[in-house]
């Protein structure tokens, strides 16, 4: 049985789905994008794990600071962190650091 012009092979259908899903114009580009997205997903999982670890360490610091009579938040330390992220990543780094600090402070 031969395929007509309107029939598509499974490979062609899969290729079209991949290019549509990735926004790529060619199957080769779709393959590269798919692989890169898998790597980004793995990196995001690692980043989330590191943020959760940072939150746990921050909780230990806050607990000890409060137990010793100090305040929950050390503003001078937070300014150091903001500057560090800004210097490394530019203005968006400041926003990222603010989000991290907010996550790590817990409920105030």
């Amino acid at each position: 049985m031969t395929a007509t012009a309107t029939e598509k092979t499974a490979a062609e259908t899969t290729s079209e789905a991949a290019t549509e899903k990735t926004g790529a114009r060619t199957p080769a580009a779709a393959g590269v994008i798919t692989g890169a997205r898998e790597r980004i997903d793995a990196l995001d999982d690692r980043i989330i794990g590191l943020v959760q670890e940072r939150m746990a360490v921050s909780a230990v610091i806050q607990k000890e600071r409060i137990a010793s009579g100090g305040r929950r938040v050390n503003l001078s330390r937070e300014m150091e962190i903001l500057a560090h992220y800004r210097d490394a990543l530019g203005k968006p780094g400041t926003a990222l650091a603010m989000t991290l600090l907010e996550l790590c402070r817990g409920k105030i």
Side-chain angles (χ1 to χ4, degrees):
M1 182 160 81
T2 61
T4 65
T6 58
E7 294 176 329
K8 296 180 182 176
T9 67
E12 289 172 326
T13 302
T14 301
S15 175
E16 286 176 6
T19 55
E20 185 175 316
K21 184 177 180 181
T22 63
R25 302 284 180 163
T26 66
V32 170
I33 291 168
T34 299
R37 284 182 176 172
E38 289 171 0
R39 182 149 185 239
I40 284 175
D41 290 344
L43 289 167
D44 285 344
D45 289 342
R46 288 173 47 199
I47 291 167
I48 290 166
L50 289 170
V51 169
Q52 291 170 331
E53 184 178 347
R54 190 186 195 289
M55 291 168 68
V57 172
S58 183
V60 169
I61 292 168
Q62 289 175 44
K63 179 181 173 187
E64 290 303 313
R65 190 182 301 121
I66 292 167
S68 71
R71 298 175 59 183
R72 170 178 242 159
V73 176
N74 182 332
L75 295 177
S76 64
R77 174 65 177 146
E78 289 195 357
M79 295 305 291
E80 289 175 16
I81 293 165
L82 290 169
H84 180 68
Y85 275 76
R86 182 190 62 243
D87 293 346
L89 302 172
K91 187 176 179 180
T94 303
L96 177 59
M98 288 295 292
T99 299
L100 282 171
L101 291 170
E102 183 178 346
L103 283 167
C104 293
R105 281 187 203 118
K107 294 182 180 179
I108 295 179

